[in-house]
Amino acid sequence: MEYKPIRKVVSGNYAAAYAVKDARVQVVAAYPITPQTSIIEKIAEFLANGEVENLQYVPVESEHSAMAATIGASATGARAFTATSAQGLALMHEMLHWAAGARLPIVMVDVNRAMAPPWSVWDDQTDSLAQRDTGWMQFYAENNQEVYDGVLMAFKIAETVNVPAMVVESAFILSHTYDVVEMIPQELVDEFLPPRKPLYTLTNFDNPISVGALATPADYYEFRYKLAKAHEKAKKVIKEVGKEFGEMFGRDYSQMIELYRTDDADFVFMGMGSLMGTVKQAVDILREEGYKVGAAKVRWFRPFPKEELYELAKNVQGIAVLDRNFSFGQEGILFTEAKGALYNTGAKPLMKNYIVGLGGRDFTVNDVRKIADNMKAVIEKGEIDVEVDWYHLKR
Amino acid sequence: MEIPETIKKKLTLPADEHFYAGHTACQGCGASLGLRYVLKAYGRKTIVTIPACCSTIIAGAWPYSTLDANLFHTAFETTGAVMGGIEAALKAMGYKVKGEDGIMVVGWAGDGGTADIGLQALSGFLERGHDAVYIMYDNEAYMNTGIQRSGSTPYGAWTTNTPGGKRHFLEKRHKKKVIDIVIAHEIPYAATASVAYPEDFIRKLKTAQKTPGPSFIQLFSPCPTGWRSPTDKSIEIARLAVQTAYFPLFEYKDGKYKINMPNPKKEPKPIEEFLKYQGRFKYMTKEDIEILQAWVNHEWEKLKKLAEVFG
């Protein structure tokens, strides 16, 4: 069948909901939280209108239970989905470990929202990055198209390696902003993403299994090792699935770090999610103004694309890491990860951390220009002025 | 061992066995007996959700299992939610759930995982109307962590965080009436049961199986380790709990209450009978026993009234 995209003008949240429908998800258990709500509302609407078949929608009483019910569904053998944001994700935290430890290929959309207090409903990546060590894969979407594509790919990757995956989009900047999204006809989605074939289910009554049983010190260690190896394997699977997606639908995701005009760049801006759209636009403008700059968008934060980072880092003089998040007592989280990944490689570009956009603070092309000027000066001088720059601070 | 048909016909409990030797329960454990009855009643076509509790351990460590059924071990507070997810998945995948030939989705949680940390998920499970059976095995404290009080611990009981001294004990609150909270959700079927009355328990499990929607059974399960009682007295203690009306047997079905005491015409025995073999009650004074007796009398009268009005 020839691929003719179905173009729809949708919000990031609706893009997620359409992807859930097209992925033929069987169980959605969810709890409403701003700004995630329109995802689950749209799914409920599909159900009410008879646009989805064989979908069970479980309106649970908390996010903790949302993840628990999704886990129960996935262990039973169903393709299961949930969505959340910020405080809700934090409440789920315990169960995120459970999903990954039980090796269940759940996909969840997290709408990045800043953590309270003070209350904020706006964009910030600290909520999802705080889940770094739960064993989940994390994909950061730049735009609504990547939300849709990300959910479809996440199911395929998760079900191949038996590791859950989180697709992350920005609060309001994507979740509630409308854009053209190219959707894939159902027949082709089915071809790309066939029904789930679980290794184990709770429905084999001839050979019953125990999931999540006690493991003594004689065995627990090996369970962790196997999960670690699954993440290593996921890097390969992510690239293959990303390439296949590109061949089928014209949007290539074979790079875990998307490189934009980095070939001859003196320095690059590195970051994740929607802010990288702004950065790419700024790179075009700055290039015209004579700056030799590029952008490196980290699509997959877990597993972390160490090898791709090294390939980039050995060819540039500097990396400006833009973190829309912060780890208190240290620095931006991507900055720590990127520096750490390069330590033993021999690639030692100058690296500086810019904390940007926390709690929904605007981040514009002009901000990128100011950072470019600062970074240029740093490189010319050959030393970092201040390692962690709270760039927006009102002084 | 194969049981001859002639003997099978005389048995008052199903002969099927899905709970094997080699389990790691303590001697005289009421809970392990209860779980054995559950699997006798429902057989292998069962998916059991077990949260953090004694039964996590009783089933045995990976890669062994003493239970011949599909088990999902989960976090302490999630029994109701996980059961909901399992039931939804089975329906989405086209399986028949509950009923005589359907898959039984069973929650098997202790009193702490039900009355305390799991209460929210239990409530969600009940009000959403999942076709599944939630069984709370009630041993009246957190036994797996070493005998700490739960909301289901009775007045006067010693536990390690409500210790007794020469002059007083710390547990001054009466047992939380989880069954009343459950009934407030107006689910189709709820019942109390006791390991001392297995025929009654299995009949209730079968009723739960046949009744569409969520069912709840609160099973009284003695714990000799935590109750400081002789390991060979568990059944006797469980029987005395019923005979003293401390833990009366009853059912709530379609809005109606039905008391099913073994000797309906007999007046309940005094509460001392229930307390006598249990070291956990040794700090109680005469006044304390009177306070507990007054609570038992009050709750028993209330139940009789409910059965009279809504019988």
Side-chain angles (χ1 to χ4, degrees):
Chain A
M1 180 181 166
E2 200 198 335
Y3 170 50
K4 276 190 200 135
I6 303 157
R7 290 192 176 83
K8 282 195 170 82
V9 178
V10 289
S11 66
N13 277 356
Y14 280 11
Y18 275 101
V20 167
K21 172 175 167 280
D22 293 349
R24 296 191 189 272
V25 168
Q26 292 161 297
V27 177
V28 173
Y31 190 75
I33 180 170
T34 302
Q36 158 263 36
T37 30
S38 53
I39 299 178
I40 59 166
E41 285 168 356
K42 190 72 184 168
I43 293 168
E45 202 181 297
F46 289 145
L47 202 59
N49 293 336
E51 292 176 64
V52 284
E53 289 165 23
N54 301 326
L55 173 77
Q56 291 284 322
Y57 182 94
V58 190
V60 282
E61 78 292 343
S62 80
E63 283 92 350
H64 195 280
S65 284
M67 186 44 65
T70 310
I71 284 168
S74 187
T76 308
R79 184 170 283 163
F81 174 87
T82 189
T84 191
S85 191
Q87 313 298 128
L89 183 61
L91 182 58
M92 280 181 182
H93 174 77
E94 179 196 19
M95 298 318 288
L96 296 199
H97 283 278
W98 216 279
R103 304 294 299 275
L104 301 171
I106 295 162
V107 171
M108 164 165 66
V109 167
D110 173 54
V111 186
N112 265 155
R113 164 182 156 186
M115 298 298 297
W119 277 118
S120 167
V121 293
W122 294 279
D123 188 24
D124 186 324
Q125 297 164 338
T126 309
D127 63 341
S128 55
L129 290 171
Q131 310 306 323
R132 187 187 66 171
D133 303 329
T134 54
W136 280 60
M137 298 186 282
Q138 292 196 359
F139 174 90
Y140 286 78
E142 180 196 319
N143 50 43
N144 296 357
Q145 183 70 57
E146 289 194 358
V147 174
Y148 177 84
D149 296 348
V151 169
L152 295 180
M153 284 188 290
F155 271 114
K156 183 153 180 154
I157 295 158
E159 289 171 12
T160 307
V161 294
N162 291 303
V163 175
M166 203 184 287
V167 174
V168 184
E169 58 161 321
S170 303
F172 299 106
I173 296 169
L174 299 188
S175 68
H176 286 66
T177 306
Y178 283 66
D179 199 355
V180 178
V181 171
E182 292 195 349
M183 296 186 192
I184 302 163
Q186 186 69 60
E187 294 83 352
L188 288 177
V189 176
D190 292 345
E191 199 179 302
F192 172 75
L193 183 67
R196 182 182 163 203
K197 287 196 195 78
L199 273 177
Y200 301 99
T201 67
L202 296 174
T203 53
N204 183 349
F205 298 104
D206 296 326
N207 280 306
I209 57 164
S210 297
V211 186
L214 175 78
T216 66
D219 296 308
Y220 183 87
Y221 190 88
E222 279 67 29
F223 278 95
R224 297 293 100 170
Y225 176 75
K226 285 181 177 176
L227 182 53
K229 291 311 273 185
H231 269 261
E232 278 305 310
K233 186 184 168 193
K235 286 186 188 177
K236 195 169 159 273
V237 175
I238 284 167
K239 288 172 197 164
E240 284 166 6
V241 169
K243 187 165 176 277
E244 185 191 350
F245 196 92
E247 283 162 2
M248 286 181 81
F249 313 119
R251 293 181 294 278
D252 183 272
Y253 289 90
S254 61
Q255 292 179 324
M256 293 175 75
I257 302 178
E258 183 195 334
L259 301 177
Y260 187 76
R261 304 186 79 167
T262 57
D263 281 350
D264 61 338
D266 291 338
F267 66 92
V268 297
F269 306 99
M270 194 166 87
M272 303 191 291
S274 64
L275 68 88
M276 293 310 288
T278 306
V279 170
K280 285 198 273 185
Q281 194 193 348
V283 164
D284 289 343
I285 294 165
L286 290 170
R287 281 267 175 183
E288 279 174 26
E289 293 172 6
Y291 294 83
K292 281 176 81 180
V293 290
K297 181 177 87 190
V298 177
R299 275 193 180 123
W300 289 90
F301 178 75
R302 279 291 179 274
F304 194 73
K306 256 174 124 159
E307 302 77 10
E308 288 182 34
L309 176 65
Y310 168 67
E311 288 304 319
L312 167 73
K314 70 182 181 186
N315 294 317
V316 295
Q317 296 171 45
I319 301 177
V321 181
L322 312 175
D323 268 309
R324 193 164 210 159
N325 60 73
F326 197 74
S327 173
F328 298 98
Q330 181 63 340
E331 58 204 5
I333 296 166
L334 181 60
F335 186 57
T336 303
E337 295 274 332
K339 275 194 307 178
L342 292 174
Y343 185 81
N344 281 329
T345 63
K348 295 279 189 292
L350 281 170
M351 291 179 78
K352 187 175 165 183
N353 193 193
Y354 298 87
I355 307 303
V356 300
L358 299 186
R361 182 70 56 88
D362 262 354
F363 181 69
T364 65
V365 167
N366 210 31
D367 294 321
V368 184
R369 181 183 285 113
K370 283 183 194 161
I371 288 171
D373 285 335
N374 177 256
M375 196 64 194
K376 207 174 159 190
V378 162
I379 287 170
E380 276 164 15
K381 211 174 172 200
E383 63 182 70
I384 301 288
D385 47 358
V386 50
E387 199 177 28
V388 182
D389 195 338
W390 283 72
Y391 167 80
H392 296 288
L393 210 59
K394 293 172 200 157
R395 292 175 207 273
Chain B
M1 194 187 74
E2 199 61 36
I3 299 167
E5 282 303 315
T6 48
I7 295 179
K8 252 188 189 175
K9 279 178 192 155
K10 291 181 195 162
L11 295 175
T12 56
L13 300 176
D16 298 352
E17 201 63 80
H18 299 276
F19 187 111
Y20 293 136
H23 65 80
T24 52
C26 306
Q27 281 184 41
C29 170
S32 55
L33 205 52
L35 189 47
R36 183 175 161 220
Y37 295 141
V38 171
L39 294 178
K40 271 182 175 292
Y42 294 153
R44 214 184 215 184
K45 219 168 147 185
T46 302
I47 303 174
V48 188
T49 300
I50 303 178
C53 62
C54 292
S55 298
T56 318
I57 312 299
I58 292 170
W62 187 88
Y64 305 106
S65 176
T66 195
L67 299 168
D68 181 31
N70 282 291
L71 309 182
F72 191 83
H73 293 271
T74 187
F76 212 173
E77 64 279 50
T78 62
T79 311
V82 171
M83 291 165 73
I86 292 172
E87 183 249 26
L90 289 173
K91 287 186 171 167
M93 291 158 72
Y95 288 98
K96 184 176 187 304
V97 186
K98 239 189 174 183
E100 302 225 23
D101 54 345
I103 296 170
M104 289 304 296
V105 179
V106 175
W108 176 258
D111 46 282
T114 305
D116 304 330
I117 196 169
L119 191 61
Q120 178 179 307
L122 171 64
S123 175
F125 161 76
L126 296 172
E127 57 92 357
R128 287 191 302 271
H130 295 286
D131 285 319
V133 182
Y134 191 118
I135 304 158
M136 164 192 183
Y137 68 94
D138 187 2
N139 52 33
E140 306 195 318
Y142 290 89
M143 296 311 184
N144 201 28
T145 40
I147 323 162
Q148 293 79 31
R149 85 172 284 277
S150 79
S152 199
T153 301
Y155 178 90
W158 161 92
T159 69
T160 55
N161 64 347
T162 56
K166 279 203 172 69
R167 285 194 296 204
H168 69 284
F169 54 85
L170 291 176
E171 188 46 74
K172 295 284 188 194
R173 292 162 194 86
H174 288 294
K175 185 176 176 68
K176 188 190 278 191
K177 297 286 294 273
V178 176
I179 189 86
D180 290 358
I181 299 170
V182 167
I183 291 169
H185 290 75
E186 295 182 353
I187 60 165
Y189 185 67
T192 59
S194 165
V195 293
Y197 299 94
E199 289 93 347
D200 176 76
F201 179 37
I202 287 187
R203 182 182 63 76
K204 285 168 177 171
L205 287 165
K206 295 278 188 192
T207 306
Q209 183 174 20
K210 278 179 237 155
T211 310
S215 304
F216 178 90
I217 298 174
Q218 183 171 351
L219 177 71
F220 193 74
S221 315
C223 170
T225 311
W227 292 5
R228 298 296 193 245
S229 57
T231 54
D232 60 349
K233 292 285 183 204
S234 293
I235 300 302
E236 198 172 334
I237 292 169
R239 197 180 297 132
L240 285 167
V242 174
Q243 289 173 344
T244 56
Y246 168 79
F247 194 90
L249 299 177
F250 73 98
E251 286 168 293
Y252 170 88
K253 193 171 188 316
D254 302 324
K256 288 180 177 169
Y257 285 82
K258 188 180 175 194
I259 298 172
N260 12 63
M261 293 296 260
N263 296 302
K265 285 181 185 156
K266 266 195 183 167
E267 275 301 301
K269 293 179 178 174
I271 193 65
E272 283 96 331
E273 287 290 303
F274 169 64
L275 309 176
K276 65 184 178 186
Y277 297 120
Q278 303 179 58
R280 64 171 171 158
F281 294 119
K282 73 173 178 183
Y283 297 100
M284 290 177 84
T285 60
K286 201 168 164 289
E287 290 74 34
D288 290 327
I289 293 170
E290 279 166 15
I291 289 169
L292 183 62
Q293 183 69 68
W295 177 81
V296 169
N297 293 349
H298 178 264
E299 293 299 315
W300 176 233
E301 290 304 318
K302 199 166 82 185
L303 180 64
K304 282 198 290 187
K305 204 77 172 168
L306 283 166
E308 199 182 302
V309 179
F310 302 106

